[in-house]
Amino acid sequence: MTWVTRTALVAGLCFLYAPILVLIAYSFNASPLVTVWGGLSGRWYGALFSDAPLLAAAWVSLKVAILSSLVATILGTLAALVLERHGRFHGRALFTGLVFGPIVMPEVMIGLSLLLMFIGIGLDRGILTIVIAHATFCTGFVAVLVAARLRGLDRSLEEAAADLGATPIRVLTTVTLPLLAPAIAAGALLAFTLSLDDLVIASFVSGPGSTTLPMRLYSQVRLGVNPEINAASTLLVGLVSAAVLLASWLTARRGQA
C-alpha cells in the first residue's frame, strides 16, 4: 500500500467511525449540554434505565428482533436448500426474485408495499406486522449465507449417509444441518442486527403500542439531542457490534471448515 492509499483508508475510517466514537464519549458527559464537556459521569445511563417509555420501546425492539430473526432464519435456510439442492424447477426465477429481491429493494418501497398489503387484508398494525416485515426483509440475507455454505459442502458426505440407509430427512437433520450450523447462526445474528437497527420499514408498518427503539430515538432527536439519547445509542451500538462481530467470527469459522 502506498501512502496515498493509506491516507485514503485512514480518512475513510475516520469519516465512518469518528462520529460514533464522539457519541460514545459524550454519553459519559456530566453536563446536560451535549456540546459542552463537563467531566466523566455515568448519570445518563442511570436516567436511561429510569425512562419507562424508552425501556418499553427497547423491549419491543428486542421482541421483534428475536421473532423476526427466528422466522427469517427458518425461511432463509429452507429457501437456500431449495435453490441449491433441487436444481431447476418451474418458477425458479420467480422464487429467486422473491427471496433476494428485498435485499436490493429500497426500504421505503418495502415498507410502503407491506403497509398497503396489511391495509388490504385488514390486519391491524402492531408487533405482528413489524415481525412479518422484518422477516421479509431479512430472509434474503440468511439465504445468501446458507446458500454460500451449501455450495462449499462436500456432497459425498450426504451421499454416504444415504447409501448407508438414511432417509432424506435423516440426512438433512444429522449431516446437512450440522454442517450448515455456523452459516445458519451467522445468518440469524445478521437478521437480528438488521431488525434491531431498522427504522424506515418499522415506521410504515408499526401501530399504537409498537414503537421500536430506533423510532423512539428518532422522535426524541427531532426535539433535541440530550445525553440520555447518547447513552441509549451507545448501548445500541454495542449490542449491534457484538452481534456483527459474532456473525463475522462464525462466517470465518465456516470458511475454515
Side-chain angles (χ1 to χ4, degrees), residues 61-148:
S61 287
L62 189 60
K63 287 192 295 185
V64 168
I66 292 174
L67 293 174
S68 61
S69 62
L70 178 62
V71 175
T73 300
I74 295 173
L75 295 179
T77 301
L78 293 175
L81 288 169
V82 169
L83 292 174
E84 296 297 327
R85 287 292 186 263
H86 291 279
R88 295 193 174 275
F89 54 88
H90 184 68
R92 177 186 173 89
L94 176 62
F95 180 74
T96 303
L98 291 174
V99 173
F100 298 116
I103 296 178
V104 297
M105 192 178 300
E107 292 186 15
V108 173
M109 187 180 299
I110 296 174
L112 180 59
S113 61
L114 289 172
L115 172 62
L116 295 177
M117 184 192 73
F118 294 145
I119 293 175
I121 64 178
L123 182 61
D124 293 333
R125 286 176 291 168
I127 292 180
L128 177 60
T129 55
I130 302 177
V131 170
I132 294 173
H134 284 183
T136 302
F137 173 65
C138 297
T139 295
F141 292 93
V142 177
V144 167
L145 291 174
V146 177

Side-chain angles (χ1 to χ4, degrees), residues 25-218:
Y26 272 90
S27 70
F28 296 97
N29 184 16
S31 171
L33 301 176
V34 294
T35 57
V36 177
W37 182 256
L40 288 174
S41 174
R43 58 179 291 200
W44 302 112
Y45 288 91
L48 172 64
F49 288 107
S50 301
D51 191 333
L54 202 61
L55 292 178
W59 177 238
V60 170
S61 287
L62 189 60
K63 287 192 295 185
V64 168
I66 292 174
L67 293 174
S68 61
S69 62
L70 178 62
V71 175
T73 300
I74 295 173
L75 295 179
T77 301
L78 293 175
L81 288 169
V82 169
L83 292 174
E84 296 297 327
R85 287 292 186 263
H86 291 279
R88 295 193 174 275
F89 54 88
H90 184 68
R92 177 186 173 89
L94 176 62
F95 180 74
T96 303
L98 291 174
V99 173
F100 298 116
I103 296 178
V104 297
M105 192 178 300
E107 292 186 15
V108 173
M109 187 180 299
I110 296 174
L112 180 59
S113 61
L114 289 172
L115 172 62
L116 295 177
M117 184 192 73
F118 294 145
I119 293 175
I121 64 178
L123 182 61
D124 293 333
R125 286 176 291 168
I127 292 180
L128 177 60
T129 55
I130 302 177
V131 170
I132 294 173
H134 284 183
T136 302
F137 173 65
C138 297
T139 295
F141 292 93
V142 177
V144 167
L145 291 174
V146 177
R149 175 62 173 167
L150 276 170
R151 283 191 291 269
L153 285 183
D154 186 359
R155 293 293 299 272
S156 63
L157 298 174
E158 297 171 310
E159 294 169 355
D163 290 340
L164 292 173
T167 62
I169 295 297
R170 188 169 179 81
V171 172
L172 176 66
T173 56
T174 61
V175 179
T176 307
L177 290 181
L179 292 173
L180 292 177
I184 294 174
L189 289 169
L190 181 59
F192 177 84
T193 301
L194 292 172
S195 174
L196 192 68
D197 193 47
D198 175 70
L199 170 65
V200 178
I201 297 177
S203 299
F204 279 94
V205 299
S206 63
S210 60
T211 301
T212 63
L213 182 59
M215 293 171 58
R216 181 73 184 179
L217 293 177
Y218 179 71

